[in-house]
Amino acid sequence: MVEPISISITALSLIKGIVKAINAVKQTIDSFNTEYDKLKINLEDLIPRIESVKQFDEEIADLSKNDRLTVQRRTDMANLVKQLNDCRKLVDKCTRLSFWKYHKIDFYTEKLKACNESLNGFVTRVMVADIWEMTMTNRRVKYDCSVPEPPKFTVGWTEPVGELKQKLLQEELPVIGICGAGGYGKSTLAKKLCEQVKGRFKTISYISIPRSPDSPTEKKEVEPLDWIAMFNKLWDDLVGGPKPEFGSADGAREQLKQCLNKRKTQGKGMLVVLDGVWSDSMLERLVIGTPGLKTLVTSRVKLNGVNWSYPVQQLSMKDAMDLFRHHALLHGPTSEYVDKELVEQIVEGCNCQPLALELIGASLKNKEISEWRTKAESLQKGQIFDEYEKILWPLYTSLEDLTSTERECFMDLSSFPNNIRIRAAALMDMWVHTRGQNEDGARPYNILKKLADRHLIELFKRTRNETTDLDKSFGDLFVVQHDLLNELAVYVSRKEMPNKRLTVKQGDAFRDPGKEKDLISFPQIVSIYTGESINFERIDVPFPHAEVLILCFSSNFYCLPRFVNWMANLKVLIIANHSMAAAVLSGLLPSGSLKSLRTVRLEKILLPIPCTLMEPFKGVQKLSMILCKVNEALEICPGSDIQIMFPDITELEVDYCDGLEKLPTAVCNIVNLQELSITNCPDLCELPEEIGRLSKLEVLRLSACTSLESLPDSFSKLRKLRFLDLFCCSHVKDLPNSIGKLHSLEKIDFRGCSANLPDTVINLEGLRDVICDEDVKTLWESVKTKSRRPRVHGCKDLVNLNFLK
């Protein structure tokens, strides 16, 4: 079997050879020249895709063969080399064909056409599926190792980047730093520098260190979210392959150092970026200190352990004005109605702070001049505060015109660790049950969009392409927040609603439960994030008003706190594991008191979960399992069917779950199920015949289930099905003939699916929208149902690889 790395090298060599041969052709057979041009375009389109695959191959080279790709994928890649070899031979024959052998011209023209069609099909279906699966393989092994992109528009960084680049490449400076106040652009400068030097280093590992939810003015030293998780990431980025079990941060650093010393990196070195280091003690524990390894550190204070540090200065007035004008859309003739002095007042009120300029500018674009004056007056009030509040004040004023609901939703972000991607669906699940939002997700999404438009959050879509998601699915949407904005959310929440949200972190202790009982009895949202389990033995308060519980941890084992079972008003339970491997979850107690629970989200948990359930979760309507490891069967508890545990469930989401080869028949017994999403599960190869029992099912997503080969015949019994997502199901060859019986079907996502269309598709009376590849758009446009022609959305780029960054 051809190995991935060698296939990439061989394929690139063949492609370049064929293109060179075509460029050298000196004949005048017009039909050949036309096909040569098409062939050259197809081959040149293949080059960047194969180079991307080659890069993935190199990154996961230490994985076992079985973990890299499925047998089918390796077979597909071997077929690519065979196609390219055949293509090369065909081009050689055509170039040697004399023009007087006219009787062979048509024969070889048809051969060239077939070659073009074959390569085009491979690019749009198989090749993209290979990249998709390799991407998912890479995700399972690495933890966001790519460097985040800097903002598209920046000012004043040319000279600092040049100076930092010069210092970084000096051998005698193994650790260099960037220091400055919050919001001054330290992270942006680090990302711009990485952009400049990425060709100088073999590997760049970028670690954003979560900040404590406490104000920086508090003196106590707070442990980071999880030391082991950071060293796991460093191991994956710098070493790769199987890693030892780390018992402690010091032990992990020593093991990593020994491994890197043995390798003795030659040529290009490696770079580690530690973004947001709090103290010298933290820096000392994270710096590995081995030849060939450079460390770049960003910090709000100047650290003693840094060999050389660049102090980020306040922007010049000119640069600050340019940045503000850009975000306020003040350029050209549109800026004439705004007085220059007023703009200067606002910029000065923002202390020329890049983050504040971005937020305030975004909040003022397209607003009346009276609102500009009001904002300028508000910003002047910030001069009376201490240094920390003076930094936060310009950011605080950007919240002024948010509605009360939008303001509360912004404060809800304080319940999550910063510098960690938050799944937008988790936030919207919270808001559906705590803010009275519509359950279709439309209004919660509008709030997210407004916060993003105001630059209070960044919406990161791990997008498949830019096509609108017609079924309102938000599974690929993430929220990222600047650490200073997260501090602002904490600050505002404590100032305006001190008892509504409670955050417990590693190192916290309730030393006097009697005194703290009143304080912790009232929160609506309780969030607990730790390295491993906290000792909750002394917390006996049932949190009677809590509607949301967020448990974030980094551990291979986690025991739920006992008080979960006493939270009678709990509506949303989110359990998120941020370690590298799926965690064994224990402590799931009898559910009789959790009668208000409606949504459960499990992230990176080993299934099935050992438990001793006495009663089912009768009220739960939505169950999401993300990045979970499925062990033998999709059961939450051994010996207990999912439909028994969750009898009222209407929505089941399974995303990026390893080991799920066949959907358990038990799922087909959930009679009230309306939405079933099984996405990015490359091991899924079969759906049970009993799926036809889901008589109330309206949405079925099977996107990127790349091993799925067919749909069962009982599929036709899903008479209420409105949306079918077969995106990137590249090995589904045929749709069942009975699909024509799905009269309620309104939308189909058919991108990257090579299945043949049965004649019965003309019976899909309700079909309104079809999303498909550009090359089969005309085929779908020819489909005319009894009532109408569907709207066909053709897509040229099946996968946008930018989502990997």
Side-chain angles (χ1 to χ4, degrees):
M1 186 66 66
V2 181
E3 285 301 309
I5 294 178
S6 60
I7 186 86
S8 302
I9 297 171
T10 304
L12 286 170
S13 176
L14 282 168
I15 289 171
K16 291 174 182 177
I18 297 170
V19 171
K20 184 177 180 181
I22 291 174
N23 289 335
V25 170
K26 295 181 179 179
Q27 59 177 293
T28 57
I29 302 175
D30 292 338
S31 60
F32 281 8
N33 290 335
T34 300
E35 294 304 321
Y36 282 157
D37 290 340
K38 294 179 182 178
L39 182 59
K40 187 176 177 182
I41 291 172
N42 277 335
L43 292 171
E44 288 175 344
D45 283 346
L46 264 174
I47 289 175
R49 297 177 189 267
I50 294 177
E51 286 177 342
S52 296
V53 173
K54 181 174 177 287
Q55 180 182 343
F56 294 154
D57 292 335
E58 291 170 348
E59 291 175 353
I60 61 175
D62 291 327
L63 287 176
S64 66
K65 295 178 183 179
N66 292 333
D67 288 338
R68 291 185 197 166
L69 292 172
T70 62
V71 173
Q72 181 62 53
R73 282 288 168 267
R74 295 200 295 272
T75 301
D76 288 339
M77 297 178 77
N79 288 338
L80 172 62
V81 166
K82 183 178 183 302
Q83 285 190 46
L84 291 172
N85 272 315
D86 292 343
C87 180
R88 177 61 192 262
K89 293 175 183 177
L90 178 61
V91 170
D92 288 343
K93 288 180 180 178
C94 291
T95 56
R96 293 196 299 268
L97 186 68
S98 302
F99 71 89
W100 58 80
K101 295 183 179 179
Y102 59 87
H103 60 284
K104 291 188 177 182
I105 291 176
D106 289 343
F107 173 78
Y108 281 109
T109 299
E110 291 301 317
K111 286 271 191 181
L112 285 171
K113 284 182 180 179
C115 181
N116 268 321
E117 291 174 0
S118 177
L119 283 175
N120 187 57
F122 193 91
V123 169
T124 56
R125 291 188 180 88
V126 178
M127 190 68 188
V128 171
D130 286 340
I131 293 176
W132 188 267
E133 183 175 339
M134 294 184 81
T135 299
M136 289 191 292
T137 302
N138 205 23
R139 281 185 184 279
R140 294 194 290 270
V141 179
K142 304 179 78 115
Y143 181 74
D144 188 29
C145 68
S146 57
V147 179
E149 286 188 351
K152 293 181 180 179
F153 183 85
T154 58
V155 295
W157 294 130
T158 304
E159 290 184 10
V161 168
E163 187 173 353
L164 278 162
K165 182 178 178 180
Q166 182 182 2
K167 295 292 184 181
L168 183 65
L169 299 178
Q170 291 181 15
E171 291 185 9
E172 64 273 16
L173 298 176
V175 182
I176 71 168
I178 301 172
C179 63
Y184 269 40
K186 301 182 296 296
S187 298
T188 298
L189 182 53
K191 294 167 190 175
K192 294 285 286 184
L193 178 62
C194 290
E195 196 176 56
Q196 290 287 315
V197 301
K198 60 185 178 182
R200 300 291 189 97
F201 293 96
K202 179 182 178 183
T203 303
I204 299 180
S205 178
Y206 195 104
I207 297 181
S208 294
I209 299 173
R211 290 196 63 80
S212 161
D214 296 281
S215 162
T217 57
E218 296 186 33
K219 301 300 182 183
K220 65 178 181 178
E221 177 78 9
V222 183
E223 291 289 296
L225 182 64
D226 184 40
W227 291 101
I228 301 300
M230 287 189 280
F231 278 106
N232 276 327
K233 175 172 164 42
L234 285 170
W235 182 282
D236 286 323
D237 292 352
L238 304 179
V239 178
K243 55 181 170 289
E245 288 290 332
F246 297 137
S248 66
D250 293 336
R253 185 183 69 253
E254 192 59 33
Q255 286 176 284
L256 186 56
K257 183 176 180 178
Q258 289 177 7
C259 184
L260 292 174
N261 283 334
K262 287 179 182 177
R263 292 195 169 194
K264 294 182 180 179
T265 304
Q266 297 179 352
K268 293 182 179 180
M270 293 176 285
L271 173 64
V272 172
V273 182
L274 303 175
D275 188 11
V277 174
W278 313 342
S279 63
D280 277 302
S281 60
M282 175 182 283
L283 180 63
E284 186 179 349
R285 295 181 76 177
L286 286 173
V287 171
I288 301 169
T290 187
L293 181 67
K294 292 277 190 172
T295 305
L296 173 66
V297 181
T298 73
S299 176
R300 294 187 186 179
V301 296
K302 190 172 183 179
L303 301 171
N304 295 325
V306 172
N307 301 117
W308 179 86
S309 187
Y310 180 86
V312 178
Q313 303 295 328
Q314 183 175 299
L315 287 177
S316 68
M317 193 63 180
K318 178 183 180 304
D319 286 338
M321 292 279 283
D322 289 344
L323 186 61
F324 175 78
R325 286 178 176 277
H326 170 80
H327 290 292
L329 299 182
L330 279 181
H331 40 75
T334 58
S335 63
E336 294 179 359
Y337 76 96
V338 181
D339 184 76
K340 182 180 179 181
E341 290 185 5
L342 180 59
V343 174
E344 288 178 349
Q345 286 179 18
I346 294 173
V347 171
E348 288 175 354
C350 293
N351 301 314
C352 295
Q353 183 183 354
L355 181 59
L357 294 167
E358 180 181 338
L359 290 176
I360 302 300
S363 70
L364 288 176
K365 62 185 177 185
N366 303 322
K367 294 293 179 66
E368 298 292 333
I369 193 68
S370 59
E371 296 187 52
W372 286 65
R373 293 194 182 100
T374 301
K375 181 65 69 177
E377 293 172 2
S378 296
L379 287 168
Q380 297 306 311
K381 298 176 183 177
Q383 306 303 321
I384 65 175
F385 293 116
D386 61 31
E387 191 62 30
Y388 174 63
E389 290 187 322
K390 186 176 178 181
I391 292 172
L392 288 184
W393 180 252
L395 312 182
Y396 182 78
T397 63
S398 66
L399 308 179
E400 288 175 345
D401 61 344
L402 294 178
T403 66
S404 59
T405 299
E406 292 164 350
R407 197 179 181 91
E408 284 209 34
C409 289
F410 172 75
M411 287 187 278
D412 286 345
L413 288 159
S414 67
S415 299
F416 291 86
N418 72 316
N419 280 326
I420 289 179
R421 291 175 183 169
I422 307 168
R423 288 182 175 263
L427 282 168
M428 291 190 283
D429 285 344
M430 287 173 49
W431 296 343
V432 164
H433 298 292
T434 61
R435 310 287 172 231
Q437 306 298 325
N438 300 330
E439 292 195 20
D440 63 1
R443 196 173 171 195
Y445 176 72
N446 291 339
I447 291 176
L448 281 177
K449 189 70 170 60
K450 183 168 183 179
L451 294 178
D453 290 343
R454 298 287 300 278
H455 296 248
L456 293 166
I457 61 172
E458 179 186 353
L459 284 180
F460 174 86
K461 189 163 187 180
R462 194 178 55 201
T463 182
R464 303 180 301 203
N465 61 30
E466 299 303 320
T467 301
T468 302
D469 203 347
L470 297 174
D471 71 327
K472 298 180 181 178
S473 170
F474 301 101
D476 275 352
L477 191 65
F478 290 80
V479 175
V480 182
Q481 190 174 42
H482 190 283
D483 59 356
L484 197 59
L485 289 172
N486 188 264
E487 288 181 33
L488 177 65
V490 174
Y491 174 80
V492 176
S493 180
R494 289 179 176 177
K495 181 177 180 180
E496 299 181 1
M497 299 179 178
N499 294 330
K500 197 160 189 176
R501 298 168 186 84
L502 173 68
T503 299
V504 183
K505 61 189 179 302
Q506 187 170 355
D508 282 348
F510 294 92
R511 296 182 179 83
D512 191 340
K515 288 184 179 180
E516 304 202 19
K517 184 175 291 189
D518 291 338
L519 175 64
I520 65 178
S521 294
F522 294 102
Q524 181 188 31
I525 300 175
V526 178
S527 57
I528 300 170
Y529 38 103
T530 67
E532 298 185 5
S533 302
I534 282 182
N535 184 1
F536 297 104
E537 294 297 325
R538 300 186 67 184
I539 305 178
D540 58 357
V541 181
F543 298 105
H545 301 286
E547 297 179 350
V548 178
L549 175 61
I550 303 167
L551 299 173
C552 294
F553 62 93
S554 295
S555 174
N556 293 335
F557 300 93
Y558 190 78
C559 181
L560 292 178
R562 290 191 303 173
F563 63 75
V564 173
N565 194 54
W566 308 331
M567 301 174 74
N569 204 35
L570 187 65
K571 296 177 180 177
V572 179
L573 175 61
I574 300 173
I575 304 174
N577 171 26
H578 294 293
S579 68
M580 301 302 294
V584 175
L585 190 66
S586 63
L588 191 60
L589 299 173
S591 57
S593 60
L594 300 179
K595 295 178 180 179
S596 299
L597 191 61
R598 296 292 178 266
T599 296
V600 177
R601 293 185 65 87
L602 304 174
E603 298 189 17
K604 208 174 286 186
I605 302 297
L606 180 65
L607 303 176
I609 298 172
C611 60
T612 54
L613 280 177
M614 301 296 292
E615 300 179 47
F617 292 90
K618 289 184 177 180
V620 173
Q621 298 169 350
K622 180 177 181 180
L623 174 62
S624 300
M625 292 174 281
I626 316 296
L627 288 166
C628 292
K629 177 73 175 177
V630 180
N631 185 16
E632 296 181 357
L634 182 60
E635 296 176 335
I636 303 302
C637 291
S640 178
D641 277 344
I642 191 172
Q643 84 275 13
I644 295 176
M645 287 190 60
F646 301 95
D648 297 327
I649 191 171
T650 60
E651 185 176 347
L652 177 62
E653 178 186 12
V654 182
D655 187 32
Y656 282 100
C657 288
D658 288 348
L660 180 61
E661 297 181 0
K662 181 179 179 180
L663 186 68
T665 304
V667 174
C668 303
N669 297 328
I670 308 175
V671 294
N672 294 318
L673 197 63
Q674 297 175 12
E675 189 168 328
L676 176 60
S677 298
I678 308 173
T679 54
N680 304 299
C681 295
D683 299 320
L684 183 71
C685 57
E686 186 179 355
L687 295 178
E689 185 65 33
E690 292 81 359
I691 198 170
R693 296 177 189 169
L694 300 176
S695 58
K696 296 183 180 180
L697 195 67
E698 297 181 8
V699 175
L700 177 60
R701 300 188 189 92
L702 299 168
S703 65
C705 292
T706 51
S707 296
L708 187 65
E709 296 184 355
S710 63
L711 301 177
D713 291 335
S714 65
F715 189 73
S716 61
K717 296 180 181 179
L718 305 177
R719 299 301 173 86
K720 290 190 177 182
L721 193 67
R722 295 184 296 103
F723 181 83
L724 175 62
D725 185 355
L726 292 174
F727 166 78
C728 213
C729 292
S730 53
H731 283 89
V732 174
K733 299 304 179 185
D734 296 290
L735 297 179
N737 285 324
S738 55
I739 193 174
K741 296 180 181 179
L742 302 179
H743 300 308
S744 298
L745 191 62
E746 298 175 0
K747 300 161 189 170
I748 298 178
D749 189 340
F750 211 67
R751 292 168 292 160
C753 182
S754 57
N756 298 316
L757 299 183
D759 295 337
T760 55
V761 293
I762 63 172
N763 297 325
L764 298 175
E765 299 175 358
L767 191 61
R768 297 178 182 177
D769 294 282
V770 176
I771 312 172
C772 63
D773 299 329
E774 189 70 31
D775 61 330
V776 296
K777 181 180 178 181
T778 54
L779 178 62
W780 276 103
E781 286 175 336
S782 66
V783 174
K784 183 178 180 181
T785 65
K786 294 179 180 178
S787 58
R788 63 172 70 83
R789 288 185 186 274
R791 294 186 293 266
V792 181
H793 310 267
C795 304
K796 293 182 180 179
D797 295 324
L798 186 59
V799 174
N800 179 0
L801 292 179
N802 289 333
F803 77 89
L804 294 174
K805 295 180 179 179

